[in-house]
Amino acid sequence: MGELNKSMGLGTRSQQQISSKARIRTGSLKIQRLRENALAYTFLAPSLILFAVFMFYPMIKSVYLSLHSTDPAGNVAAYVGLDNFTTLFSSGLFLQGIKVTLLFALLTVPVGILLALVLAALTHSKLRGMRIFQFAFSLPMVLSVGSSAVIWKFLFHPTLGMFNYVLSLLHINPVPWLTSPDWALFSVAMMTIWMNLGFNYIILSSGLQGIPDDMYESAKMDGAGPLVTFWRISLPLLSPTIFFVTVVSIIGAFQSFAQINILTKGGPVNSTNVFVYSIYQEAFVNFRFGTGSAQAIVLFAVILLLTMIQFKWVERKVHYQ
């Protein structure tokens, strides 16, 4: 009996020691987890501060202003509820801006991606001199939007511009590139396609470089030609990259501003008055910050909706390895 009690006493002590060690281990794990979380938030702090100052605060402020009327200095005058949105959607100019923005995106995104894809495919071969073409096609990316717009404004000049000079050599009448409502949006779209070509080309070219050479060699051994190889191998494996470029390009098209401000200032006759330029005019030219903020909220909702649609339906066509 004594031995049994003795052994039971030893068992109880050992269980106490085990539970004590478990508590110590759990406590040390909690302290280690807290330290790791503190370190992670320390590294994230600069980004969180920048996001809070330049993204979250302006967004919350825009929502607040969209529900109020303001004086020309931007101070809140009165709470108006959804009146700014009602005024916006009853305005024909706002609906015209939506139509122009959609047409601008339709003109720039498909053509820009297709052109970059063709150039990336043509320069994918490892022939001598291809580096020169790759450098030339990537060059627009290093130029700022303002510099590019100024260069293209000279090219579009009705009398001194290069485009009309070339047309005159072909005995074709000069084109009013930026002064005609029929040509202005098309001209700005041309410049935007060229401006985005560098980024789209680099991304798509990098995607092509990531496809293993073994697949091309196997297709070549099976007798597949260049077009069949591109259609059956390159394009499916490149679909994630094309999807990324499409999403970014559509968002960029809806946020276009600088080139329109420099080339046409929304004219002539509001033919290039896209969404963002309309916000700028409403808020910083007409000093109606409430209506401008309401437009910004609508733009955010439109871009969010389009992005969700792309991830919901278009991503199904993407082939991930």
Side-chain angles (χ1 to χ4, degrees), residues 91-248:
S91 168
L93 195 61
F94 176 70
L95 297 177
Q96 171 70 13
I98 293 177
K99 181 182 173 184
V100 171
T101 307
L102 290 174
L103 186 59
F104 181 72
L106 198 63
L107 285 172
T108 55
V109 175
V111 177
I113 294 175
L114 185 63
L115 186 59
L117 182 61
V118 171
L119 294 178
L122 290 176
T123 56
H124 180 55
S125 57
K126 298 175 182 175
L127 299 176
R128 294 185 64 183
M130 282 300 168
R131 292 285 182 188
I132 299 173
F133 291 101
Q134 291 173 353
F135 172 75
F137 297 148
S138 307
L139 199 57
M141 191 176 174
V142 302
L143 293 175
S144 66
V145 182
S147 303
S148 303
V150 170
I151 293 170
W152 278 77
K153 194 167 187 176
F154 282 111
L155 294 175
F156 284 133
H157 195 277
T159 55
L160 304 176
M162 183 63 71
F163 292 146
N164 278 344
Y165 173 72
V166 173
L167 291 178
S168 68
L169 295 178
L170 301 172
H171 304 288
I172 298 175
N173 293 328
V175 173
W177 297 102
L178 300 176
T179 55
S180 168
D182 298 329
W183 282 95
L185 188 65
F186 176 75
S187 304
V188 176
M190 278 175 58
M191 182 257 160
T192 305
I193 290 169
W194 176 85
M195 188 182 68
N196 295 334
L197 184 63
F199 174 78
N200 292 342
Y201 171 78
I202 289 175
I203 298 296
L204 292 173
S205 186
S206 302
L208 282 173
Q209 299 286 346
I211 299 175
D213 292 335
D214 299 345
M215 305 191 75
Y216 291 119
E217 291 172 4
S218 300
K220 193 174 181 181
M221 290 175 65
D222 291 338
L227 288 178
V228 175
T229 303
F230 180 77
W231 186 258
R232 295 290 179 87
I233 296 177
S234 300
L235 207 55
L237 295 180
L238 200 61
S239 55
T241 311
I242 296 173
F243 176 69
F244 167 75
V245 171
T246 303
V247 172
V248 172

Side-chain angles (χ1 to χ4, degrees), residues 223-281:
L227 288 178
V228 175
T229 303
F230 180 77
W231 186 258
R232 295 290 179 87
I233 296 177
S234 300
L235 207 55
L237 295 180
L238 200 61
S239 55
T241 311
I242 296 173
F243 176 69
F244 167 75
V245 171
T246 303
V247 172
V248 172
S249 298
I250 290 177
I251 293 174
F254 273 80
Q255 294 178 340
S256 297
F257 170 75
Q259 66 268 42
I260 291 167
N261 185 37
I262 294 173
L263 292 176
T264 61
K265 296 191 180 302
V269 200
N270 294 315
S271 59
T272 59
N273 191 14
V274 295
F275 229 117
V276 176
Y277 192 79
S278 178
I279 294 172
Y280 164 74
Q281 277 193 318

Side-chain angles (χ1 to χ4, degrees), residues 12 20 24 34-35 52 56 59 66 73 106 138 144 156 212 214 240 283:
T12 305
S20 175
I24 293 170
L34 286 173
R35 285 177 180 172
F56 299 129
M59 188 178 293
S66 68
L106 198 63
S138 307
S144 66
F156 284 133
D214 299 345

